[in-house]
Amino acid sequence: MPRIAFQGEVGAYGHQACLEARPDFDPLPCPTFEDALEAVRSGAADLGMIAIENSTYGRVADVHQLLPESGLHIVDEAFLRVRISVLGVKGARIEDLRRVRGMAILLGQARGFVRAHGLQTLAWSDNAAGAREVARLGDPSEGSLAPEIAARVYGLDILASGVEDHEGNTTRFLIMSREADQSRRGDLGMMTSFVFRVRNIPAALYKALGGFATNGVNMTKLESYMVEGRFSATQFYAEVEGHPEDAPVARALEELHYFSDRLHLMGVFPAARLRHEG
């Protein structure tokens, strides 16, 4: 059976995303995003399921810096509806809880619940690992925020469900592969992802992006981040609708290349249905 690597332990949201998006793959848990990417690079896994952003919390820290240097290619995207459960030891009640643990990105998605119950929070390396720690402690005052699957894996009770701040709370994952695949044409259109660094000239970013406007190409994402620890070195991660072989996208990328000192195509993949469902 082919394998798909994800960040986290068994019972993590990445694990759930693998089960939903690639049910014919064997999920491979990895401690960090770097480890998950390395598993794909080394051949230990065929694909990688990498969380990139959450609709409530925003982008996942560090991932934008890891992807361009990974040597891998984006071949698909997957959206996971993130329903947050409060887990505790067998027989515990919500009233018993004094503290909950989870990844910082997940704690940030349930601030309302945490405040309403006056709970302390403890940032954890992984949500499933936090659930495992609660099971190990056996203390009814200790809880974790995690998916329901973690309760089954670690023998915990679900003390509350759906505690996320926003009903549509969703995490987007990118599926990474060693090989690029530009041969497909999705039923709902294609997405092209790339990173670039503009030349150090006046209005370079404005000029670099002008080709997308004049060619009628919709840019759905543009994010900046510093590289090499320098405030003056800014790199951009972008996604546009369309395929690089589409004439408007090809012209826009050509213009972008002229005003950039680095342009790297990250992937071409079918647009997920959720994009069209809002």
Side-chain angles (χ1 to χ4, degrees), residues 245-266:
E245 294 177 358
D246 296 342
V249 177
R251 289 193 296 266
L253 289 174
E254 182 179 2
E255 191 164 340
L256 173 63
H257 186 272
Y258 179 80
F259 290 104
S260 302
D261 58 17
R262 184 192 182 193
L263 174 59
H264 175 61
L265 192 67
M266 286 296 305

Side-chain angles (χ1 to χ4, degrees), residues 85-93 144 151 154-160:
S85 296
V86 183
L87 309 185
V89 298
K90 292 290 186 181
R93 305 169 303 164
S144 69
Y154 299 106
L156 298 173
D157 279 353
I158 299 173
L159 308 185

Side-chain angles (χ1 to χ4, degrees), residues 192-207:
T192 296
S193 170
F194 52 90
V195 293
F196 67 97
R197 193 182 306 176
V198 294
R199 294 164 53 194
N200 188 21
I201 59 176
L205 181 60
Y206 173 81
K207 296 173 181 176

Side-chain angles (χ1 to χ4, degrees), residues 30-45:
C30 299
T32 66
F33 288 113
E34 293 97 321
D35 294 326
L37 294 170
E38 177 58 30
V40 181
R41 271 197 304 266
S42 69

Side-chain angles (χ1 to χ4, degrees), residues 208-231:
L209 299 182
F212 295 96
T214 56
N215 285 284
V217 177
N218 185 28
M219 179 171 286
T220 61
K221 179 175 291 297
L222 177 65
E223 295 191 355
S224 65
Y225 56 97
M226 290 184 295
V227 292
E228 301 172 353
R230 294 185 291 125
F231 286 96

Side-chain angles (χ1 to χ4, degrees), residues 27-76:
L28 175 65
C30 299
T32 66
F33 288 113
E34 293 97 321
D35 294 326
L37 294 170
E38 177 58 30
V40 181
R41 271 197 304 266
S42 69
D46 301 276
L47 298 175
M49 180 72 70
I50 307 297
I52 189 171
E53 58 193 338
N54 174 265
S55 60
T56 301
Y57 188 84
R59 74 184 185 186
V60 177
D62 299 333
V63 170
H64 287 76
Q65 294 183 340
L66 294 174
L67 294 185
E69 308 305 324
S70 69
L72 303 178
H73 306 272
I74 303 169
V75 294
D76 221 333

